[in-house]
Amino acid sequence: MTNEQPRTAPMTPTARLVETVITPPVIAAVAAHAAAKVPGVVRLEPGLRGLAGSLTRIARQRIKGLDPAPTEGVRAFLEHDPPDVRIEIDLSLSGLDQAAATAQAVQRAVTRAVTEATGLIPSAVSVSILDIEIRGGLL
């Protein structure tokens, strides 16, 4: 006879409910990063409305001690029920590349990056070309 205690099944921790919240500024930051990397994109253009919103967001994040991610020139709209993401991007392109092809490449890159980062598939990625930079007198 031994002094062993009877063995019981190990207790499993109770399942915890985890909620992930993805906000429009996060989506905009992912989209801005993806758009800026597309060949032919010179820069994102914030415009007047974008500058005002960006300044407010940056101030709020700095107060909280956070480093703001660049989102100038990008606006993300998120509906929760049903989940829907729409993205608007304003940019400046190089005069050396075809504008329509570059805009389509931006749409594909942004859709892919946002989907991979958030799991949300954008229903629309609208690209507005606000400027085409012509260097060296080519045009």
Side-chain angles (χ1 to χ4, degrees):
M1 194 160 181
T2 64
N3 288 337
E4 281 186 38
Q5 296 290 345
R7 294 185 184 222
T8 58
M11 293 192 65
T12 58
T14 59
R16 295 183 187 186
L17 179 61
V18 177
E19 181 178 293
T20 302
V21 179
I22 302 168
T23 61
V26 170
I27 296 168
V30 170
H33 182 71
K37 291 172 44 176
V38 172
V41 172
V42 175
R43 69 180 166 278
L44 300 176
E45 294 282 353
L48 189 57
R49 186 172 82 177
L51 280 174
S54 179
L55 291 174
T56 303
R57 184 183 58 78
I58 288 170
R60 196 173 328 131
Q61 288 180 334
R62 291 249 165 93
I63 289 170
K64 293 180 180 180
L66 303 171
D67 288 330
T71 61
E72 289 77 17
V74 179
R75 292 166 306 285
F77 305 93
L78 177 62
E79 299 292 328
H80 294 285
D81 194 21
D84 182 46
V85 176
R86 291 175 289 107
I87 301 166
E88 296 175 356
I89 303 170
D90 299 332
L91 43 82
S92 178
L93 300 181
S94 166
L96 302 175
D97 297 294
Q98 186 183 38
T102 302
Q104 289 174 342
V106 168
Q107 288 174 317
R108 286 190 300 271
V110 167
T111 298
R112 184 174 43 254
V114 169
T115 302
E116 288 174 2
T118 67
L120 300 170
I121 301 170
S123 63
V125 176
S126 302
V127 176
S128 297
I129 301 168
L130 301 183
D131 190 20
I132 295 178
E133 287 199 4
I134 301 167
R135 298 184 188 248
L138 295 173
L139 298 176

